[in-house]
Amino acid sequence: MNTTIFDFVGDNVGEWKVTSMIALKGESIEPVSHIKKISSSLVPSNKGIWTLKGIVSNLRYTEKEDKDNLVAIQEDLGRSEATLAAFIPIRKSEAWWNLAQDERRKIMENKSQHTQTGMKYLPAIARKLFHSRDIGEPFDFLTWFEYAPADAAAFEELLNALRKTEEWSYVDREIDIRLVRM
Ligand code: HEM
């Protein structure tokens, strides 16, 4: 079984039931009632109503100290008490991709403090980042978060903080999909 390439399948059946779906920026995607995440391959697949493909990849911007801290406190997906999830596909603009690696890192970490802010919400929020840009997908990233109902307000606070940053001014498509485990 492949453990790095996943299909997120929007359909009318699946492990996660959609509770809301909002296109915050850019074009929306077809509404679905359920999403399932399945191990896959690079072969184009036509499953469900839509399929978004993502790859678990190496870190791009995280330095050793942050990496060690993250590994020490972050939780895995699949905790039984984490019955809520968010699936947020994101695309960044050409202006972002035209920047050099060090300029992108400066915006994410020095100016927007992405990791520093996110770290405050660990281990309550479990997260996984999937890369899609290099495989010709409509989004650059597929982000997935799982949390317990008691941490739902904290998750909103985190999103509000990140969406106000300079980093987010480069986001040109973002769909916010909320889910509950069936
Ligand atoms: C990337 C941490 C929440 C969206 C990253 C990276 C880290 C990180 C360390 C850099 C990975 C690398 O080195 O390549 C966290 C932590 C969070 C959190 C600790 C706390 C839960 C979020 C949220 C969103 C988000 C709520 C919004 C949907 C992203 C995206 C990237 C990213 C799109 C890729 C950015 C890029 O490569 O341009 N995150 N994050 N993160 N995160 Fe977060």
Side-chain angles (χ1 to χ4, degrees):
M1 196 171 38
N2 190 302
T3 54
T4 57
I5 306 173
F6 290 90
D7 281 349
F8 291 85
V9 182
D11 204 352
N12 38 37
V13 287
E15 189 194 351
W16 292 90
K17 185 172 148 41
V18 174
T19 55
S20 73
M21 191 165 166
I22 303 168
L24 290 173
K25 261 191 198 167
E27 211 191 313
S28 60
I29 52 177
E30 203 179 329
V32 293
S33 61
H34 293 73
I35 290 179
K36 64 182 166 214
K37 167 173 164 270
I38 52 177
S39 174
S40 184
S41 72
L42 282 179
V43 176
S45 28
N46 260 325
K47 294 185 270 292
I49 294 164
W50 45 253
T51 299
L52 294 172
K53 224 177 244 309
I55 303 180
V56 179
S57 187
N58 59 286
L59 296 171
R60 270 44 170 190
Y61 308 107
T62 312
E63 293 181 341
K64 183 175 163 42
E65 190 184 341
D66 279 345
K67 184 184 171 201
D68 290 346
N69 286 334
L70 286 165
V71 169
I73 53 173
Q74 71 196 3
E75 283 282 1
D76 282 336
L77 304 182
R79 293 169 296 173
S80 58
E81 71 277 17
T83 53
L84 301 180
F87 176 55
I88 308 180
I90 286 177
R91 191 181 67 199
K92 284 182 171 173
S93 64
E94 278 314 298
W96 173 262
W97 294 109
N98 284 334
L99 295 171
Q101 176 94 0
D102 60 335
E103 294 175 297
R104 291 197 297 263
R105 187 181 193 283
K106 238 176 245 157
I107 293 167
M108 263 188 81
E109 298 303 344
N110 303 11
K111 295 187 179 168
S112 307
Q113 310 213 310
H114 185 123
T115 305
Q116 201 178 317
T117 302
M119 206 91 84
K120 290 191 249 162
Y121 298 86
L122 304 186
I125 313 295
R127 55 181 256 283
K128 194 87 189 166
L129 174 66
F130 302 84
H131 285 257
S132 293
R133 177 175 171 82
D134 294 343
I135 51 171
E137 284 282 304
F139 295 92
D140 294 336
F141 309 100
L142 306 177
T143 65
W144 181 273
F145 306 90
E146 290 179 9
Y147 48 94
D151 296 312
F155 184 65
E156 298 312 318
E157 183 186 281
L158 166 61
L159 278 175
N160 282 338
L162 288 178
R163 285 175 177 148
K164 287 199 191 102
T165 61
E166 182 174 338
E167 183 193 354
W168 246 255
S169 69
Y170 292 91
V171 171
D172 70 3
R173 193 173 178 200
E174 179 174 9
I175 317 281
D176 187 323
I177 305 174
R178 301 306 174 87
L179 307 134
V180 59
R181 198 197 296 274
M182 293 299 288

